[in-house]
Amino acid sequence: MDILANLALGFSIALSPYTLMLAVIGCFLGTIIGALPGLGPSNGVAILIPLTFALGLDATSALVLMTAVYYGAMYGGRISSILLNIPGDEPALMTTLDGYPMAKAGRAGDALVLSGVASFVGAFLATLGLIFLAPLLARVAFLFGPAEYFALYLLAFCTLGGMASNNQAKAAIASCIGLAIAMIGVDESSGLPRLTGGNLHLYDGVDFLVAIVGLFAITEVFFFIESHGKHSSLGVKLDKVSIPWKDIIACRWVMLRCSAVGFIAGVLPGAGASLGSFMAYMSEKSIAGEKGGFGTGVAKGIAAPEAGNNAAAGGALVPMLTLGVPGSGTTAVLLALLMTLNITPGPTLFTENPEVVWGLIASLLIANFVLLVMNVPMVKIFVRVLQVPPWVLMPGVTMISFVGIYSLSGSYFDLLLMVGFGVLGYIMRKLDIPTVPVILGILLGGHMETALRRAMLLSDGDWTYLFSSPISIGLWVAAVSGFVAPMFLRNILKKPQRVTD
Amino acid sequence: MQSDRIFGLVATVLALAYIVSANQTQISFLTDPVGPKGFPVLIGIIWALSGMFMVLRPDPQPEWPGLRTFGALAFAVVILIGYAYALKPLGFLLPTAVAAGVLSYQISPNPKHAVLTGIGLSGVLFVIFKYALGLGLVAVPKWLLG
């Protein structure tokens, strides 16, 4: 009955009018951010972090607001996927495969409602899963020593690099760049500067928010300049929105199955939402077989990735909260938020700050219902948002990024670094090098090094200590196989390409 | 092909420079078995090896934009760097209007839209940041007003 008591605590916080208001605002903002082409959950949340900081919110309020934005963006992403054939971010790619053809066939309203309901089912079940799994995992996490944590961080990099990218070497380079950047600054244990090149600005290290906003938001601006924003005109008409009960009922098992698949994929550290929607779509495609017509605009092809995607978004919160290891790009951004708020995620979070965790979980449950209301009857409001032309939107995003980062430290140097990260992100994305491992590296680099050094201190420099417990051996095996296995599976499981007109 | 090779080569060289630079870290008298050098050097080695791998097994060439677009991108970078330097001495309104206008023009070359976007964004964002979020922004520096 622990869970019920904890939930009661959570709801007592989440149902206070102020927190409730923050959750509703977050849902609204999030849906808009998700719907706007060029602004996905990761960069949307990243841009908002410095601004939340400026508002002076306390930890719980800030967390509630931002996770509501996060869930909202996951809902909103489907709107641009379906109507514009532009995935707001990587996980929404799968939704374009059937969503856009269905919208072109004149059933845009049906596609939006169905995907909204599927998102709700996925997110709701995943939040329930989070309620049951997170406390259990937090208890296991108490058994983790530095050697286990080192292996766990390695696992996150390996699964992220192995599954979410097309080329292992490129993912490894990206991880190394991130880790290398994390090492810059004053070394915590000796107090001496490292790798700063004598530059005083670098003594504090590189702020991860600077890197995140640069790599996500500024890079996006460069891509819009390259394409002149050509791909973002509304090509599909949305007339009336009714609820397609027949499709929803026909998809009930699909949604349940895909929620389970998505949740599991989300819980794997490093794998995340992209893998969730991908696995969900592919498994339903093979269950439906040739006759299922996946890829031509069928209802199941929309319900599957959306349920999987949103379930993975919830699942990704499990390792993030209990172990401090994010399961996706956006949870990496949320981890950045926790770190800025001086909250250390991990098993102690559940015992020392239960009000933060359970307030957050209760807010997620509430946010989910708010989002269902916003995204089904009120979906037309958000479709309007798509008409904001990119030549207003992208300069606006840039200016907000600049002011946000500037408000952190008031130094022009951070702004220059941010532009630098923007350029780096552009080159990396052009070369199909994933940028999320860079973020993960900057976020986790310090922890990973500390874990390694503590482990070596405990064992007096004996390297075999890293593989001395069953948990760490298991994690090492998972890490190596997570990195190597996709090389062989790649030919079997080919990623479907985007539909082109 | 070529792009991956170049990137891999640059990455490898950078990784080697990183290892050298990590090796120059001062070591304090109190140190642990790994020390402040161990982890950075380890990263540098993996970094260099993956860079080499990219040189040896490159992916197909990506689609790079033409020279003109490259020029536009370089110009955008210059504008952003200029904006970063200008934000403090020139206040918020002027640099923001100019930078937003230029970026808008670069995305969609329509002078009227660009001017309106620049002025509109700088005004609206200033009001939001200053009064809704309470950031301490300076609209126009005193010396400009005389």
Side-chain angles (χ1 to χ4, degrees):
Chain A
M1 287 301 98
D2 252 9
I3 287 174
L4 284 183
N6 284 329
L7 269 181
L9 169 74
F11 274 107
S12 72
I13 294 160
L15 283 175
S16 75
Y18 183 64
T19 321
L20 205 57
M21 180 194 78
L22 286 178
V24 173
I25 294 177
C27 291
F28 188 75
L29 275 179
T31 313
I32 290 181
I33 287 172
L36 287 171
L39 259 182
S42 325
N43 44 13
V45 176
I47 295 171
L48 287 179
I49 289 178
L51 298 178
T52 330
F53 225 44
L55 275 174
L57 294 174
D58 64 87
T60 316
S61 311
L63 207 55
V64 166
L65 179 68
M66 297 314 283
T67 36
V69 171
Y70 169 58
Y71 263 38
M74 285 291 172
Y75 271 79
R78 74 190 209 287
I79 300 178
S80 63
S81 297
I82 290 171
L83 294 181
L84 302 179
N85 195 21
I86 299 175
D89 66 336
E90 171 99 7
L93 176 69
M94 295 294 151
T95 314
T96 62
L97 299 178
D98 274 281
Y100 186 63
M102 190 167 179
K104 272 181 73 178
R107 297 182 62 205
D110 288 357
L112 283 174
V113 174
L114 177 64
S115 58
V117 173
S119 298
F120 172 77
V121 173
F124 183 71
L125 291 177
T127 314
L128 289 185
L130 170 70
I131 291 171
F132 289 102
L133 190 60
L136 284 182
L137 200 61
R139 232 167 284 158
V140 177
F142 272 116
L143 302 174
F144 277 42
E148 285 80 10
Y149 267 109
F150 183 74
L152 181 71
Y153 293 136
L154 194 72
L155 171 67
F157 285 108
C158 286
T159 46
L160 188 71
M163 302 197 193
S165 88
N166 299 320
N167 181 328
Q168 260 72 0
K170 289 182 171 180
I173 286 196
S175 312
C176 287
I177 293 176
L179 289 168
I181 292 170
M183 295 298 109
I184 296 173
V186 173
D187 172 31
E188 268 177 44
S189 57
S190 66
L192 292 166
R194 280 195 292 183
L195 299 153
T196 56
N199 189 330
L200 279 179
H201 291 291
L202 287 174
Y203 271 52
D204 283 340
V206 176
D207 194 320
F208 39 75
L209 286 177
V210 174
I212 292 172
V213 175
L215 282 176
F216 288 148
I218 304 296
T219 297
E220 201 61 47
V221 175
F222 292 144
F223 272 95
F224 267 82
I225 291 175
E226 186 191 327
S227 69
H228 293 287
K230 262 174 205 147
H231 310 297
S232 52
S233 55
L234 206 55
V236 182
K237 264 212 178 131
L238 177 66
D239 297 326
K240 60 174 171 46
V241 178
S242 59
I243 298 179
W245 290 110
K246 230 178 84 190
D247 285 334
I248 293 175
I249 293 168
C251 291
R252 62 191 187 280
W253 296 117
V254 174
M255 290 187 214
L256 288 181
R257 272 199 302 267
C258 291
S259 301
V261 171
F263 183 74
I264 294 168
V267 171
L268 293 177
S274 314
L275 185 73
S277 63
F278 174 70
M279 298 274 290
Y281 187 85
M282 294 314 272
S283 63
E284 284 309 317
K285 191 177 177 179
S286 58
I287 288 175
E290 288 285 316
K291 281 184 207 152
F294 270 57
T296 57
V298 290
K300 284 181 180 171
I302 297 171
E306 272 307 305
N309 168 6
N310 287 52
L317 288 173
V318 175
M320 203 273 276
L321 289 172
T322 53
L323 299 166
V325 177
S328 66
T330 321
T331 27
V333 180
L334 284 179
L335 179 68
L337 172 73
L338 285 177
M339 288 173 156
T340 0
L341 293 167
N342 262 332
I343 298 172
T344 318
T348 46
L349 183 65
F350 282 76
T351 47
E352 281 167 19
N353 301 64
E355 76 285 352
V356 173
V357 182
W358 293 100
L360 171 70
I361 290 174
S363 306
L364 285 179
L365 282 174
I366 296 170
N368 217 350
F369 283 96
V370 175
L371 281 167
L372 182 67
V373 174
M374 278 187 186
N375 278 281
V376 174
M378 291 162 67
V379 73
K380 282 206 142 172
I381 299 174
F382 296 104
V383 173
R384 269 287 143 80
V385 170
L386 291 180
Q387 285 154 0
V388 175
W391 43 265
V392 174
L393 178 68
M394 291 327 278
V397 168
T398 317
M399 300 305 132
I400 295 173
S401 312
F402 267 81
V403 173
I405 294 300
Y406 188 70
S407 73
L408 283 179
S409 63
S411 114
Y412 72 93
F413 185 76
D414 279 350
L415 297 178
L416 293 182
L417 265 184
M418 181 178 82
V419 177
F421 275 112
V423 175
L424 178 71
Y426 176 79
I427 296 171
M428 289 177 71
R429 265 177 56 183
K430 271 283 166 192
L431 294 177
D432 197 21
I433 302 173
T435 49
V436 176
V438 180
I439 306 286
L440 208 63
I442 298 178
L443 280 171
L444 297 181
H447 295 283
M448 196 168 172
E449 191 195 14
T450 314
L452 178 69
R453 285 167 80 169
R454 278 210 197 121
M456 287 302 105
L457 202 60
L458 285 175
S459 67
D460 214 13
D462 180 10
W463 289 94
T464 53
Y465 179 72
L466 289 176
F467 320 96
S468 60
S469 82
I471 295 180
S472 54
I473 292 174
L475 290 169
W476 275 90
V477 170
V480 172
S481 51
F483 192 70
V484 177
M487 292 188 204
F488 301 103
L489 292 174
R490 198 153 286 147
N491 294 326
I492 307 165
L493 278 176
K494 256 211 149 80
K495 271 191 189 173
Q497 295 300 311
R498 258 170 80 172
V499 249
T500 42
D501 290 282
Chain B
M1 294 287 280
Q2 240 58 41
S3 306
D4 267 20
R5 289 219 160 103
I6 295 168
F7 189 91
L9 199 64
V10 173
T12 312
V13 171
L14 279 177
L16 293 177
Y18 187 81
I19 296 174
V20 170
S21 154
N23 256 322
Q24 285 165 353
T25 310
Q26 283 173 281
I27 296 222
S28 69
F29 58 93
L30 248 178
T31 189
D32 47 298
V34 180
K37 288 179 190 174
F39 194 63
V41 170
L42 187 70
I43 294 167
I45 293 170
I46 300 174
W47 186 1
L49 287 178
S50 353
M52 294 297 290
F53 192 84
M54 262 182 88
V55 175
L56 296 174
R57 295 275 306 272
D59 284 344
Q61 182 82 349
E63 253 180 69
W64 289 104
L67 261 185
R68 268 191 64 179
T69 313
F70 258 120
L73 287 171
F75 187 65
V77 173
V78 171
I79 285 290
L80 291 178
I81 292 175
Y83 182 56
Y85 276 109
L87 203 50
K88 201 162 204 174
L90 294 179
F92 181 79
L93 289 179
L94 270 176
T96 306
V98 173
V102 171
L103 286 182
S104 171
Y105 184 79
Q106 285 195 301
I107 290 171
S108 160
N110 180 331
K112 208 174 103 196
H113 286 170
V115 171
L116 286 178
T117 306
I119 295 172
L121 271 178
S122 98
V124 170
L125 288 180
F126 182 76
V127 171
I128 295 177
F129 289 141
K130 181 98 184 174
Y131 300 105
L133 295 175
L135 295 180
L137 290 176
V138 180
V140 183
K142 283 209 180 76
W143 59 266
L144 262 183
L145 294 173

